[in-house]
Amino acid sequence: MGGDDGMETVVGAVCTLLGVAVGALGALAAARIQLRGAIAQADAVLAQADTTYRAALDQAYAAQRAAHEQWRREIRRDAYAAFVTALDAVRELAARPELLDAAHEEASGALPAASRAVTAAFAVVELEGPASLTLLARTAHQRGLTAAEHAVRLAPRATAMRLLNSATGAATADTSDSGSPSALARAAHQALTQLREAVYRMERGEISRDAYDAVRQRATEAVDACGLFTPDQTRALLSDPSWEVALRMGSEHADALARCEAARGDFVTAARALLAPDGDNDADTRNDTDTDRREARVARPARRLIP
């Protein structure tokens, strides 16, 4: 009897322990299920927070990019406008070679100053870019300086002819007075015309060198007698007196101005397209912006925006 009671006691204890163990396992399973749910909910919250942060970050970078592009566009616009203004100053001076002779110190000094100004303005365009527009600016810059060089070479002859035409065209004095300034100017003009004809005839073999030299001597004396010209102007009139030389120099000068004008037009057209809000095709700026955007997408939440 006593043995049976002991056995029953042991069996009861074992059953109690088994019940406690089963209950503990159930509670543990329930706790694990609750924990998984909490973790999933926390993951969803974190994912939503990450999405919100990335959207805010992209929006901030988009605003930053728009502000940067607007600032860059304004800087470039000012650089381009300064370059065109400086180029126009060179073109305007180069178009009036008759005012660029060394005898007119103010005008003759203005062209070198304008050339330096357009070179300085081009340097800013070269720094601001882009490369495609810099190439157009370089062409316009070079052509502007070329037109200025042609104008400087033409200046003594052009100035002398302006003075001569002015002196003969404004003559109202008595033409019978051969010693008057207007009469001397007309004599010089006639002598130069005869010299050009002599050059032409000598080149065709119609007159001898001695005959040409005689005409040239009379022209030299007439030019000196009128007293209108500086030594450089006299040299320009007498050194190459032929019509061919005068026409060639004038044609080269006009062509240089036309080429400069065309290059200016190409630059202005390209600058307008670039400065339009949707016209910025600068590869360097676009690549930099793409890099920033990629970095923003992989940034950690603690990362700060740096202006």
Side-chain angles (χ1 to χ4, degrees):
M1 295 280 302
D4 292 338
D5 292 339
M7 180 62 68
E8 290 177 357
T9 300
V10 171
V11 170
V14 170
C15 289
T16 300
L17 290 174
L18 289 174
V20 170
V22 170
L25 290 175
L28 180 61
R32 291 184 63 184
I33 291 173
Q34 292 178 352
L35 179 61
R36 288 176 180 174
I39 292 175
Q41 184 177 5
D43 288 342
V45 172
L46 288 176
Q48 180 62 35
D50 183 67
T51 300
T52 301
Y53 166 75
R54 293 179 185 278
L57 194 62
D58 285 343
Q59 184 177 5
Y61 267 92
Q64 184 183 38
R65 178 191 179 193
H68 174 75
E69 288 180 350
Q70 178 62 26
W71 170 80
R72 187 70 179 276
R73 189 177 294 111
E74 291 176 356
I75 294 296
R76 284 177 166 175
R77 180 191 59 197
D78 292 343
Y80 302 160
F83 173 72
V84 172
T85 300
L87 183 64
D88 285 345
V90 171
R91 290 172 52 248
E92 290 173 4
L93 289 168
R96 299 292 303 275
E98 69 275 11
L99 301 179
L100 299 177
D101 190 64
H104 301 80
E105 293 184 6
E106 182 177 354
S108 63
L111 184 57
S115 298
R116 290 191 296 270
V118 75
T119 298
F122 167 71
V124 179
V125 173
E126 191 173 26
L127 288 174
E128 291 297 332
S132 58
L133 204 66
T134 299
L135 182 61
L136 294 175
R138 178 178 291 108
T139 300
H141 173 232
Q142 292 173 345
R143 291 184 179 180
L145 296 184
T146 298
E149 292 173 358
H150 281 286
V152 169
R153 285 197 294 268
L154 190 60
R157 179 189 292 268
T159 303
M161 292 306 301
R162 181 180 66 86
L163 292 173
L164 191 60
N165 291 333
S166 177
T168 57
T172 58
D174 185 2
T175 57
S176 62
D177 184 3
S178 61
S180 66
S182 59
L184 292 174
R186 284 193 298 272
H189 190 280
Q190 183 179 9
L192 288 171
T193 301
Q194 292 173 350
L195 180 59
R196 294 190 186 99
E197 292 174 351
V199 172
Y200 176 76
R201 295 180 64 190
M202 185 182 68
E203 290 175 348
R204 292 171 58 91
E206 296 178 359
I207 63 172
S208 65
R209 178 71 187 190
D210 291 340
Y212 165 77
D213 289 340
V215 175
R216 180 183 176 83
Q217 181 61 33
R218 289 195 296 271
T220 301
E221 293 172 354
V223 168
D224 291 339
C226 72
L228 291 174
F229 311 119
T230 65
D232 286 342
Q233 293 166 0
T234 300
R235 191 178 306 110
L237 290 173
L238 297 174
S239 60
D240 290 308
S242 69
W243 279 302
E244 181 182 355
V245 171
L247 291 174
R248 176 176 54 79
M249 292 180 66
S251 176
E252 290 174 349
H253 174 245
D255 181 65
L257 286 174
R259 288 168 60 84
C260 178
E261 174 67 21
R264 177 193 183 278
D266 292 342
F267 175 82
V268 170
T269 299
R272 285 175 177 169
L274 181 68
L275 293 174
D278 58 347
D280 192 344
N281 55 2
D282 184 355
D284 294 337
T285 300
R286 186 167 61 249
N287 290 340
D288 290 345
T289 304
D290 291 344
T291 300
D292 291 343
R293 186 179 292 115
R294 286 195 299 270
E295 291 178 354
R297 291 197 179 101
V298 299
R300 295 181 179 181
R303 179 176 176 175
R304 296 175 56 194
L305 288 177
I306 301 176

